Amino acid sequence: MTTALPQNNARFLLAARPVGAPKASDWQYTTQSVEAPADGEVLVEVLYISLDPAMRGWMNEGKSYIPPVALGEVMRALGIGRVVASRHPGFAAGDHVTGLLGVQQYARVAGSGLTRVDPALAPLPRYLGTLGMPGVTAYFGLLDIGRPQAGQTVVVSGAAGAVGGVVGQIAKLKGCRVVGIAGGADKCRYLVDELGFDAAIDYKTQDLKAALREHCPDSIDVFFDNVGGETLDAALSHLARGARVVICGAISQYNNTEPTRGPANYLSLLVNRATMTGLVVGDYLPRWGDAIREMAGWMAQGQLKAREDVVSGLENFPTALLKLFKGENHGKLVLKV
Amino acid sequence: MTTALPQNNARFLLAARPVGAPKASDWQYTTQSVEAPADGEVLVEVLYISLDPAMRGWMNEGKSYIPPVALGEVMRALGIGRVVASRHPGFAAGDHVTGLLGVQQYARVAGSGLTRVDPALAPLPRYLGTLGMPGVTAYFGLLDIGRPQAGQTVVVSGAAGAVGGVVGQIAKLKGCRVVGIAGGADKCRYLVDELGFDAAIDYKTQDLKAALREHCPDSIDVFFDNVGGETLDAALSHLARGARVVICGAISQYNNTEPTRGPANYLSLLVNRATMTGLVVGDYLPRWGDAIREMAGWMAQGQLKAREDVVSGLENFPTALLKLFKGENHGKLVLKV
């Protein structure tokens, strides 16, 4: 099926490697003409772009779990869109797909990197949140690495974020006591009143260590960390014997211009015979579908709630991304193109 | 069996909680008269006292895996001795025993806390080293937590110490490439020439990161850490995917007057899907005998070598203990009473 191609593709290129928080001059907002897909490729109109903390890491030089974005390249991002033209047998114009589409209006990508999604089953942004990378991260990070048992205490930082909210709700489904750490009274109310957390700690106004002692009288069996820094140290100081610490991210450290703050309380791992383990969700690709199916089932039964924070306008990408690092997003942060 | 009791018991009491390295005034060297054992107790003449890095932790106030030594109490230490008088059915005068005997000439202790050893099978100090707590720590820390596989790379810090030397030799027995980190050319030569390590890095003269890159071309699968600080950070910067980091100790940090230096490179756990796990050897009491039997077998076959560093004179305890923190001991450090 062939349709007239759109003319222009507006996009954000990485212009410089940021020092600290990404600033306007680290981006180049340009337009290029749209090219027809080659054999095996698909042209996708990008509808929603996922804004994730991991993107900050992709902007740095050096070895990581995937190569950095090169200077002058379209900024890497997960997204969801509609197929405009396809030369891949698996996709036809009109299909809705998700994959690494980049921060742009139109993505010409290999069909092998795309997954079809059904817009009738869930709102499209949800496939970038609970039914996407953050949800699957929460699912395997908690269940495979955290291994919570009924009656145990699970603490999650960044609890009102895309990953944290899912972690806490799944831990509740597994019969745990769940305490969330988030910034601000609104987020804390949301965690307890809407998502069913047992308690929430506002790190902006409360003493973290004292609050953890208060809300976790039996110490912490599973700490799921999205934040790092002081938050990680406070949790380490209150581990239960045999605790599991899941290192999912460290958003407090990503814009550091000084070296990362290492967890000074790491010897708590020794005292408590505890384990700290890192997680990269890409390792779970073979079991991705299992996680999505189970979470979709919980959603259908009202046991798993999702929330997206949608910012509109591709041109607002640089400022929208910063909301993550300021803790201004509430739920999964998504840019509507 | 009754014999005349000795008159006096010289002993070291903990007089003050040290700030930094323990100094003379942190100890009180006193004599008390020897008391006959009560029912269930045994009076032991202490022959050798084990000097271990863990003792520094026992001198600090606060929660740890065992309560701290109280001020005014005999300093806690593992030891080996000969039974002088027994009111416990399991022991008779003349038996050689090991247990928490304290830094003193005579220990009056519950028989239930003692284990008999055979002086004909190995020199007595060996029961405080490779055939004692450090050996069992090495055995389970490496095999249970590190889980090395043939062909993998194992790096151990404090490699010429009581634990490290055993870790490296067992890793060689399991078919691994083994690299030791130690201080000084003598120790490094010993690791390679005597214990069969593939390489040794002298942290006092070499750039640790560069040397790890050179000697671990396939990165580090198992890092067994006795040192902490810069050493841990250097190893974290060179982990293989799925690596296991065993936190056995952090001797570089025990005398800190500032907070412990946390591993700034801990996000390497995330990038490499690696695990960092703490170890307290007391958890392995039920399997202690299995470890000793297997290691004694390796020793009998010449596959596991042991070395003790014996200092003489109970009165030298305070300065002898400091050798550990200065890295002056070569093999298991033991005080001959």
Side-chain angles (χ1 to χ4, degrees), chain A residues 130-198:
Chain A
T130 305
L131 296 179
M133 187 269 283
V136 175
T137 301
Y139 182 94
F140 288 114
L142 179 67
L143 298 179
D144 261 46
I145 301 181
R147 300 184 308 280
Q149 289 162 32
Q152 292 192 328
T153 299
V154 174
V155 175
V156 56
S157 64
V163 174
V166 179
V167 167
Q169 291 180 87
I170 296 180
K172 283 304 297 177
L173 282 165
K174 298 295 176 184
C176 297
R177 174 171 180 78
V178 176
V179 177
I181 303 172
D186 271 2
K187 288 183 181 176
C188 287
R189 258 193 307 273
Y190 168 74
L191 294 176
V192 174
D193 295 348
E194 299 289 321
L195 301 190
F197 282 46
D198 295 288

Side-chain angles (χ1 to χ4, degrees), chain A:
Chain A
M1 174 174 162
T2 310
T3 52
L5 291 185
Q7 293 276 309
N8 291 315
N9 177 32
R11 58 208 187 126
F12 276 92
L13 312 180
L14 183 64
R17 303 223 172 268
V19 177
K23 53 190 185 308
S25 59
D26 295 329
W27 305 110
Q28 190 186 356
Y29 187 42
T30 64
T31 299
Q32 125 198 107
S33 49
V34 173
E35 290 172 352
D39 200 36
E41 288 186 339
V42 177
L43 181 69
V44 181
E45 180 187 1
V46 183
L47 301 174
Y48 293 95
I49 293 168
S50 182
L51 302 183
D52 296 293
M55 293 166 78
R56 182 62 188 83
W58 303 342
M59 300 165 75
N60 293 336
E61 221 158 6
K63 183 194 163 194
S64 186
Y65 58 96
I66 45 170
V69 177
L71 293 179
E73 246 181 28
V74 174
M75 179 59 196
R76 183 187 295 148
L78 285 164
I80 205 151
R82 193 167 38 220
V83 174
V84 177
S86 172
R87 291 189 60 191
H88 185 283
F91 301 96
D95 284 353
H96 285 84
V97 293
T98 181
L100 284 170
L101 303 180
V103 183
Q104 56 187 343
Q105 286 178 295
Y106 294 95
R108 187 167 62 85
V109 290
S112 56
L114 296 175
T115 304
R116 211 170 335 195
V117 301
D118 185 347
L121 287 184
L124 288 176
R126 193 141 305 161
Y127 290 104
L128 298 176
T130 305
L131 296 179
M133 187 269 283
V136 175
T137 301
Y139 182 94
F140 288 114
L142 179 67
L143 298 179
D144 261 46
I145 301 181
R147 300 184 308 280
Q149 289 162 32
Q152 292 192 328
T153 299
V154 174
V155 175
V156 56
S157 64
V163 174
V166 179
V167 167
Q169 291 180 87
I170 296 180
K172 283 304 297 177
L173 282 165
K174 298 295 176 184
C176 297
R177 174 171 180 78
V178 176
V179 177
I181 303 172
D186 271 2
K187 288 183 181 176
C188 287
R189 258 193 307 273
Y190 168 74
L191 294 176
V192 174
D193 295 348
E194 299 289 321
L195 301 190
F197 282 46
D198 295 288
I201 299 169
D202 180 357
Y203 73 84
K204 292 187 175 172
T205 59
Q206 292 183 264
D207 179 283
L208 255 182
K209 283 192 184 185
L212 285 171
R213 277 195 300 273
E214 179 191 342
H215 293 299
C216 308
D218 300 324
S219 305
I220 303 170
D221 296 293
V222 178
F223 179 57
F224 192 109
D225 192 26
N226 296 301
V227 170
E230 278 178 44
T231 306
L232 175 55
D233 259 333
L236 284 172
S237 73
H238 198 51
L239 292 185
R241 189 155 163 178
R244 286 80 65 199
V245 177
V246 183
I247 301 295
C248 178
I251 199 164
S252 71
Q253 304 295 307
Y254 291 165
N255 285 326
N256 275 2
T257 49
E258 292 168 8
T260 297
R261 172 180 162 155
N265 286 331
Y266 86 101
L267 288 174
S268 170
L269 298 177
L270 192 161
V271 171
N272 296 298
R273 299 79 156 167
T275 285
M276 187 187 281
T277 305
L279 161 72
V280 173
V281 70
D283 296 347
Y284 293 94
L285 273 180
R287 297 162 62 197
W288 199 277
D290 300 343
I292 296 289
R293 263 185 298 280
E294 185 159 26
M295 288 192 287
W298 287 330
M299 267 190 183
Q301 294 163 34
Q303 296 182 299
L304 179 60
K305 295 180 182 172
R307 177 161 173 168
E308 294 88 28
D309 187 337
V310 180
V311 177
S312 286
L314 180 64
E315 68 281 9
N316 295 321
F317 164 70
T319 49
L321 183 64
L322 293 178
K323 288 183 71 171
L324 287 173
F325 303 101
K326 295 176 183 162
E328 290 175 0
N329 61 306
H330 194 143
K332 172 60 197 156
L333 185 63
V334 169
L335 186 67
K336 190 172 188 298
V337 178

Side-chain angles (χ1 to χ4, degrees), chain B residues 116-133:
Chain B
R116 210 172 332 195
V117 301
D118 184 346
L121 286 185
L124 288 175
R126 192 141 306 163
Y127 290 103
L128 299 176
T130 305
L131 296 179
M133 187 269 284

